[in-house]
Amino acid sequence: MVAFDSLSRQDGLVAGETTLAGAETGSRARFTPRHFRVGIAGKIALLKISFGLITAVVVSAFLYHSMFDFVVRERQAELSAGLDLATSGLSTAFEDADRDALFLLRTPAMKGFLRATTNGGTDPLDQSSLALTSARVADLFGALLSARPNYYEIRFLDRNGNETVRVERAADGSIGPVAPENFEAKADRPFFSEAAKLAAGQTYMSDVDLQRHGAALALPHRPTARISTPVHDARGGFIGVVTINVDAQRLFSAVQKFLGSRAQIYIANERGDYLVNPDANETYGFDLGHAYRIESDLPALAPLLADASDRYAGLADDRSRTALLLARVVHFDSRLPARRLVVAAEQEFSIPFTELLSSGLPIVGIAALILLMGGITALVLLRVVVVPLRGIRAAAFDLAAGRRHANQTRLTRRDDEIGDLARTMDYMASAIAEREDQLAAQAAELRRSNQELGQFAYVASHDLQEPLRMVGSYLELLSRRYKGKLDEEADEFIAFAVDGATRMKRLINDLLGYSRAGSAPLKWEKVDIAEVLKNVVSALTVRLEETGGIVDVGPMPMIIADGAQIERVFLNLVDNALKYHSDAAPRISISAASTEAGWSFTITDNGIGIDPRFSDQIFEIFKRLHGRDQYSGTGIGLAVTKLAIERHGGRIWVTPAEGGGSTFQFVIPQSRMDA
Amino acid sequence: MSAAIEILLVEDNPADVRLTVEGLREARIANNLNAVMDGDSAVQFLQRQGRYINAPRPDLILLDLNLPGLDGRSVLRFVKEDPRFKVIPVVIITSSDAESDIIKSYEAHANCFISKPIDFQGFCDVIRSIENFWFTVVRLP
């Protein structure tokens, strides 16, 4: 009635994965950096370097910014002053021309010429001929031209717009009257037709454009501004017009001169047409049939053209360049203030590298200093902190590995935190050493007393046997010889005494067994549990037949253990299950399972069960839960079982089984299985 | 059946000696028990020295292993190494059931080894089995 099964060896023997040595290597590796890392010194150096760089960048940015502002303000003031000077010069030149035109009318030569003209060719005052008076006027015009280098032509136009006197500055600089055959008719030109409409003492300012001869532009192109004033006789009759041609190119060059060559000059009339443009092709584009406009190139100046503003200052900042842009409005026509010139100066600027360097040099120096300090700090830290820390770490490793700690005398003398740490390490090492010594002494003491105790138990149980045998033997002899010869009471007393001796004999035997189980060295070997259980069942055959019991054995492994002790364990447990059976026939099932802790064996019976209150006590020596008359036993079996399992490093416990009975379970660790 | 057999009991415990006497008294075979208390006396008895000058030659030796002075193992070795005595059957009767004792005894050619039972009935059974074995089954030389 016994079912056996066996597991394959493969299932039974599970190879372990880690050895002790392997585990130690692993724990050390955990504290050893495997990849590159930045230590304390490195971190502080990096911090310093970052501080240095950030400081340098911030200070540079701040300085650059304030320097930029400063340079902008300075350049702007400079340019603005230049522009003011240039434009006031321009205004003055126009005003001068205006006054000069009026001045000419008041001169005796001009008055004589007018008298001769209105008096039929002869001056009534001194009888001078028209030819003479006009020669005097030509002289006057020549004198003015030589006094005013900006003027290049002065003429008198009669009431029909024909030239009657014209003096000009030739290309070679000589000044002289133009021969009458070269006189031109200018009646259709605004400087005549507009001036003719004016009252005496008023002047007309022409637009600045290119000089023409007839309809054709004079070559080379000659930008010209013309100032005209009407001439009236004594009765107020219109006689003609005096016109001064001003060399606009000369005026504008003076502007350029004031502002210096770095400034680019733009001058436009009130319609936005360029009179001066750095690109010569765009200059006087309107006269050449093009339409270049200042507001399309410099939109910021549109308000100046629209008479909304007289000046502009700002930064022309398109990505490729930074430039200052300043502009002024010049009113050149005192009668018509709407007529204007817009004079703009644009000056690109950058902060020169040398300037930047000279102001940035201290910053670079400071940054370099900070970097140097960072490096030095890192080195000092390395020496002062990191190296000692490494030493302390090595000492900690030694301590963890169980090596006695060598005092770090050099470090413990330091009066700082590292010193504190080293002293604490030393204190810890000596405390650990002291405790280790204490533990070792305690372990030795325990071992000794345990050994003594085992020896005592053995000696006691062994030596007790001898006198007990005497007592038992003679009691029995007494009973054989004198039974029925004494009275009934004597027989009863003798029977009690014999019974007591018998029980004591069993008790001492079990005690001896317990003592052996605790002291005999374990013989580790491969044990086939299926085989062990066959032995157990065959040893209990008689009991099984008596009780009609059945033992079910599941698949069983091979384990590493002391075979005799394991057999004792199973024998005790199965015997126990048979002993404490209920009314039903005992049914005992044994199974095995591989767990993390090792092989776990379970023995379940359908017996009387164990009160959970006593589930710990039953493993104590001499502990019995039942009266002698109910169940025999000395109360040592389970104690021996527990002792044997614990000597294998395992543990045993009992729980109530389902439907009554008990489940004993024990685990045998199998860390030795890979041996 | 011939005359009473001579038995030499080497046993230091008087209670055991008495118990053996009592056991043998109940035996079927006529016997004459000679008891000595230690190993030296046993050797002298066998060699008929000193006060054992008139000692009979034992037909059987019952030997306790634990003896004062010369111990049971030495007595056994003496008996089995002396050609005069080595044919005498020796039964080791001892309370020690330690394995080593058993092995050593057999190595020294002990003829039989019996642990002392604790109860008297068991002891009588042992005596009887010795009688049966040695006097009815084995023909002694």
Side-chain angles (χ1 to χ4, degrees):
Chain A
M1 297 300 253
V2 181
F4 278 104
D5 221 325
S6 67
L7 284 177
S8 67
R9 296 176 70 86
Q10 191 180 339
D11 289 340
L13 290 164
V14 178
E17 281 176 12
T18 49
T19 63
L20 263 175
E24 196 185 311
T25 322
S27 74
R28 180 153 188 147
R30 219 182 314 147
F31 298 105
T32 309
R34 270 177 242 174
H35 40 259
F36 174 77
R37 64 168 193 185
V38 179
I40 292 176
K43 277 175 185 145
I44 290 180
L46 278 180
L47 203 64
K48 284 255 175 188
I49 288 168
S50 314
F51 277 153
L53 290 180
I54 289 168
T55 309
V57 166
V58 167
V59 171
S60 304
F62 176 73
L63 279 184
Y64 180 82
H65 190 72
S66 45
M67 196 162 93
F68 183 86
D69 278 354
F70 173 74
V71 170
V72 165
R73 271 199 307 276
E74 203 178 30
R75 295 282 157 78
Q76 194 168 311
E78 200 178 299
L79 192 62
S80 182
L83 194 60
D84 281 343
L85 274 175
T87 48
S88 73
L90 205 54
S91 297
T92 307
F94 282 116
E95 281 164 20
D96 283 352
D98 197 84
R99 283 193 207 100
D100 283 345
L102 295 174
F103 159 78
L104 284 175
L105 299 190
R106 293 198 195 100
T107 56
M110 195 66 199
K111 282 181 176 166
F113 171 67
L114 292 178
R115 282 196 299 272
T117 305
T118 51
N119 201 33
T122 308
D123 180 3
L125 217 59
D126 59 0
Q127 307 307 316
S128 304
S129 66
L130 186 63
L132 184 61
T133 55
S134 73
R136 286 183 189 138
V137 166
D139 272 354
L140 174 66
F141 285 2
L144 191 60
L145 278 178
S146 62
R148 302 286 194 188
N150 288 341
Y151 306 161
Y152 71 89
E153 197 173 75
I154 304 175
R155 59 190 144 191
F156 178 77
L157 300 163
D158 65 15
R159 71 176 70 182
N160 298 318
N162 295 320
E163 290 176 341
T164 54
V165 181
R166 176 172 154 209
V167 181
E168 62 178 17
R169 195 193 305 273
D172 61 0
S174 62
I175 297 164
V178 174
E181 63 266 27
N182 288 333
F183 286 161
E184 293 172 18
K186 299 286 192 187
D188 56 338
R189 302 295 300 273
F191 61 81
F192 173 76
S193 54
E194 290 300 320
K197 298 172 188 163
L198 297 178
Q202 289 185 323
T203 54
Y204 166 81
M205 285 282 180
S206 78
D207 286 337
V208 178
D209 55 16
L210 297 180
Q211 173 72 353
R212 288 168 188 270
H213 292 299
L217 290 171
L219 286 175
H221 291 162
R222 191 161 211 177
T224 305
R226 300 164 202 86
I227 293 91
S228 307
T229 185
V231 183
H232 295 92
D233 59 21
R235 294 185 301 274
F238 175 68
I239 298 167
V241 169
V242 171
T243 301
I244 300 173
N245 279 14
V246 178
D247 186 343
Q249 193 59 53
R250 247 185 105 83
L251 295 184
F252 297 156
S253 297
V255 170
Q256 181 77 65
K257 218 173 286 171
F258 270 118
L259 293 174
S261 57
R262 278 193 299 157
Q264 291 192 324
I265 310 295
Y266 300 82
I267 299 176
N269 60 25
E270 68 263 25
R271 289 180 297 279
D273 298 319
Y274 279 120
L275 306 181
V276 173
N277 187 300
D279 181 356
N281 288 331
E282 295 195 10
T283 305
Y284 300 103
F286 62 95
D287 257 349
L288 303 168
H290 307 299
Y292 301 118
R293 302 259 176 220
I294 195 168
E295 67 263 37
S296 58
D297 291 336
L298 303 169
L301 301 183
L304 273 62
L305 292 170
D307 198 12
S309 172
D310 266 5
R311 48 173 60 220
Y312 172 83
L315 279 177
D317 199 357
D318 60 18
R319 261 165 232 156
S320 57
R321 66 203 182 113
T322 304
L324 282 173
L325 178 63
L326 273 79
R328 297 280 185 279
V329 169
V330 175
H331 301 278
F332 61 88
D333 191 335
S334 53
R335 215 168 32 84
L336 297 169
R339 299 189 60 201
R340 57 183 61 201
L341 292 177
V342 173
V343 180
E346 189 183 63
Q347 185 170 343
E348 276 190 45
F349 78 96
S350 55
I351 297 174
F353 180 69
T354 49
E355 212 168 313
L356 200 64
L357 194 68
S358 64
S359 62
L361 212 55
I363 302 165
V364 174
I366 288 167
L369 200 66
I370 292 172
L371 293 188
L372 191 69
M373 275 163 57
I376 291 170
T377 309
L379 279 177
V380 169
L381 275 176
L382 199 67
R383 241 192 109 61
V384 172
V385 175
V386 176
V387 171
L389 278 182
R390 282 186 193 145
I392 290 171
R393 176 170 173 265
F397 263 128
D398 285 351
L399 213 54
R403 289 186 285 273
R404 289 293 165 99
H405 173 62
N407 281 7
Q408 310 224 340
T409 321
R410 199 168 53 81
L411 290 178
T412 53
R413 280 204 299 262
R414 277 175 58 162
D415 190 18
D416 59 7
E417 287 83 351
I418 295 284
D420 290 346
L421 186 58
R423 281 189 291 277
T424 311
M425 279 287 295
D426 277 358
Y427 174 65
M428 185 170 90
S430 60
I432 287 174
E434 200 175 310
R435 229 162 294 163
E436 272 178 356
D437 291 345
Q438 273 176 8
L439 276 178
Q442 272 176 3
E445 173 64 23
L446 269 178
R447 221 172 8 250
R448 194 185 57 74
S449 70
N450 214 28
Q451 220 163 11
E452 272 177 9
L453 202 64
Q455 195 67 23
F456 172 77
Y458 180 79
V459 169
S461 50
H462 183 265
D463 290 4
L464 281 173
Q465 273 187 326
E466 191 61 25
L468 181 62
R469 196 167 53 78
M470 285 301 126
V471 172
S473 298
Y474 281 97
L475 274 173
E476 203 172 332
L477 192 60
L478 208 57
S479 131
R480 282 163 79 104
R481 298 272 169 88
Y482 301 102
K483 190 165 185 169
K485 292 178 186 167
L486 303 171
D487 58 10
E488 257 179 50
E489 262 192 336
D491 287 351
E492 207 179 336
F493 292 169
I494 291 171
F496 280 137
V498 168
D499 181 49
T502 309
R503 265 211 319 273
M504 191 164 180
K505 171 194 153 201
R506 204 159 51 216
L507 208 57
I508 285 177
N509 254 341
D510 283 355
L511 195 58
L512 203 56
Y514 181 80
S515 162
R516 287 221 180 91
S519 60
L522 294 182
K523 286 183 208 142
W524 294 97
E525 58 192 350
K526 268 186 197 174
V527 180
D528 185 350
I529 300 298
E531 200 61 38
V532 164
L533 286 173
K534 265 181 204 163
N535 294 343
V536 167
V537 168
S538 78
L540 294 170
T541 308
V542 178
R543 296 282 295 275
L544 283 167
E545 280 170 2
E546 279 172 7
T547 55
I550 297 172
V551 180
D552 274 332
V553 178
M556 286 296 146
M558 302 272 292
I559 69 170
I560 304 292
D562 181 317
Q565 292 223 7
I566 290 296
E567 188 163 328
R568 163 88 51 101
V569 165
F570 277 109
L571 185 67
N572 283 350
L573 289 173
V574 175
D575 185 46
N576 231 42
L578 288 174
K579 193 188 287 175
Y580 298 102
H581 67 82
S582 57
D583 295 339
R587 190 177 172 89
I588 302 160
S589 64
I590 305 175
S591 61
S594 178
T595 68
E596 236 173 70
W599 277 102
S600 166
F601 298 94
T602 307
I603 293 109
T604 303
D605 63 52
N606 60 343
I608 56 171
I610 294 163
D611 189 327
R613 282 183 300 161
F614 303 123
S615 55
D616 287 330
Q617 290 184 27
I618 56 161
F619 294 105
E620 288 171 21
I621 191 163
F622 298 134
K623 194 73 198 181
R624 291 173 51 86
L625 299 183
H626 306 281
R628 291 206 169 79
D629 44 345
Q630 282 178 285
Y631 297 97
S632 61
T634 54
I636 284 185
L638 282 177
V640 171
T641 301
K642 183 170 185 250
L643 187 64
I645 289 168
E646 283 177 350
R647 289 194 69 199
H648 280 81
R651 60 191 201 94
I652 181 167
W653 64 98
V654 65
T655 49
E658 267 179 60
S662 312
T663 298
F664 282 88
Q665 207 170 339
F666 66 94
V667 175
I668 302 290
Q670 288 296 288
S671 59
R672 285 166 173 271
M673 286 205 57
D674 52 349
Chain B
M1 285 292 158
S2 54
I5 57 166
E6 293 294 331
I7 297 174
L8 173 61
L9 172 64
V10 190
E11 168 64 69
D12 64 327
N13 186 346
D16 271 327
V17 173
R18 181 62 196 269
L19 212 54
T20 310
V21 169
E22 295 301 327
L24 287 171
R25 189 186 284 172
E26 294 187 7
R28 291 179 290 125
I29 288 175
N31 56 72
N32 189 14
L33 185 73
N34 304 278
V36 294
M37 303 291 279
D38 54 52
D40 293 312
S41 303
V43 171
Q44 284 173 8
F45 184 96
L46 286 169
Q47 294 180 327
R48 293 191 176 111
Q49 290 174 344
R51 57 192 177 108
Y52 302 110
I53 190 101
N54 294 318
R57 176 189 160 92
D59 300 308
L60 173 70
I61 301 173
L62 300 178
L63 179 63
D64 187 4
L65 281 183
N66 294 317
L67 293 171
L70 199 65
D71 71 0
R73 295 167 194 80
S74 305
V75 173
L76 179 62
R77 205 174 307 119
F78 170 79
V79 171
K80 290 302 171 186
E81 282 173 0
D82 191 316
R84 290 173 291 164
F85 309 123
K86 70 177 177 188
V87 294
I88 302 174
V90 179
V91 173
I92 309 288
I93 299 179
T94 181
S95 55
S96 164
D97 57 353
E99 209 177 17
S100 58
D101 282 341
I102 296 171
I103 290 166
K104 278 178 189 158
S105 300
Y106 276 110
E107 275 174 355
H109 307 291
N111 298 72
C112 186
F113 189 98
I114 293 169
S115 286
K116 279 181 195 170
I118 282 176
D119 53 315
F120 181 71
Q121 183 56 53
F123 185 74
C124 290
D125 292 344
V126 168
I127 299 284
R128 197 157 301 127
S129 68
I130 292 168
E131 276 176 355
N132 288 340
F133 188 70
W134 292 110
F135 302 116
T136 61
V137 179
V138 180
R139 286 255 51 87
L140 289 176

